[in-house]
Amino acid sequence: MSTPFRCIVSTVESDSHIWNLVYLQKVLEEQGAVVLNLGSCTPVGEVLRGIGEFNPDLLVVSSVNGHGHHGARVLLNEMQRHGRKVPCVVGGKLTTAESDNDRVRGDLLSLGYTDVFTGENSIDRFREFLQFGQLAGFSAWQPPAAVVPPWDSPELVKTGVR
């Protein structure tokens, strides 16, 4: 039996899809979560209000429109600006080009997301994250390092070759 935890499921303001949120809600409930689903095109203020009122153990942000990267940045920046501290993960289709997934993942991890789930194995990784979080706490999670494509390597950027 899983330890119950409180979770908010949201998307970014630009994403009108709901099927992904319902799917994630079901995955979370299977793991024992009590879920507040804020629905599509979620305004940042609504997420901030939800965090303040619902006091979740985890915020899950999903986007499937291919433009979630920007909205995820805006959301986390506003959370930090307003002192809303809650482990926060994001995933789905965050960019229009699969080849950008590693760059976007690295950017969002460096911004402060607990983890970023994209690609074919994202749901399996997300389930592992949930199982770990229930045992050790979501903020204790250490995500796998983001892959740095050779053309974005720090050595090339530092030397000006790039």
Side-chain angles (χ1 to χ4, degrees):
M1 181 80 175
S2 300
T3 304
F5 62 98
R6 298 168 67 81
C7 181
I8 291 179
V9 174
S10 175
T11 189
V12 295
E13 290 186 75
S14 67
D15 197 324
S16 64
H17 296 90
I18 190 81
W19 62 266
N20 53 316
L21 303 179
V22 172
Y23 176 76
L24 286 170
Q25 179 175 342
K26 296 300 177 192
V27 168
L28 288 156
E29 288 172 345
E30 287 173 359
Q31 296 294 320
V34 175
V35 179
L36 173 62
N37 188 333
L38 297 178
S40 64
C41 297
T42 317
V44 170
E46 186 67 23
V47 177
L48 296 175
R49 188 170 24 266
I51 292 169
E53 294 173 3
F54 191 68
N55 194 27
D57 300 298
L58 178 65
L59 172 63
V60 176
V61 181
S62 175
S63 181
V64 293
N65 70 356
H67 304 288
H69 177 219
H70 172 73
R73 287 183 61 84
V74 169
L75 175 59
L76 195 61
N77 282 328
E78 286 300 303
M79 287 174 59
Q80 292 167 344
R81 193 167 76 81
H82 288 88
R84 298 287 197 251
K85 295 185 190 276
V86 60
C88 183
V89 296
V90 62
K93 188 168 172 24
L94 303 176
T95 178
T96 57
E98 290 288 315
S99 60
D100 284 340
N101 279 351
D102 292 332
R103 180 186 56 78
V104 166
R105 183 168 186 276
D107 178 60
L108 293 174
L109 287 172
S110 70
L111 187 63
Y113 275 92
T114 306
D115 207 341
V116 179
F117 300 95
T118 60
E120 294 177 7
N121 67 347
S122 59
I123 291 297
D124 292 336
R125 284 188 53 244
F126 181 62
R127 287 178 201 265
E128 290 172 18
F129 165 77
L130 292 175
Q131 291 168 358
F132 175 92
Q134 289 177 277
L135 295 173
F138 297 108
S139 59
W141 177 256
Q142 294 296 312
V147 175
V148 178
W151 51 87
D152 285 340
S153 78
E155 293 78 32
L156 290 178
V157 172
K158 198 182 305 178
T159 61
V161 173
R162 187 188 126 166

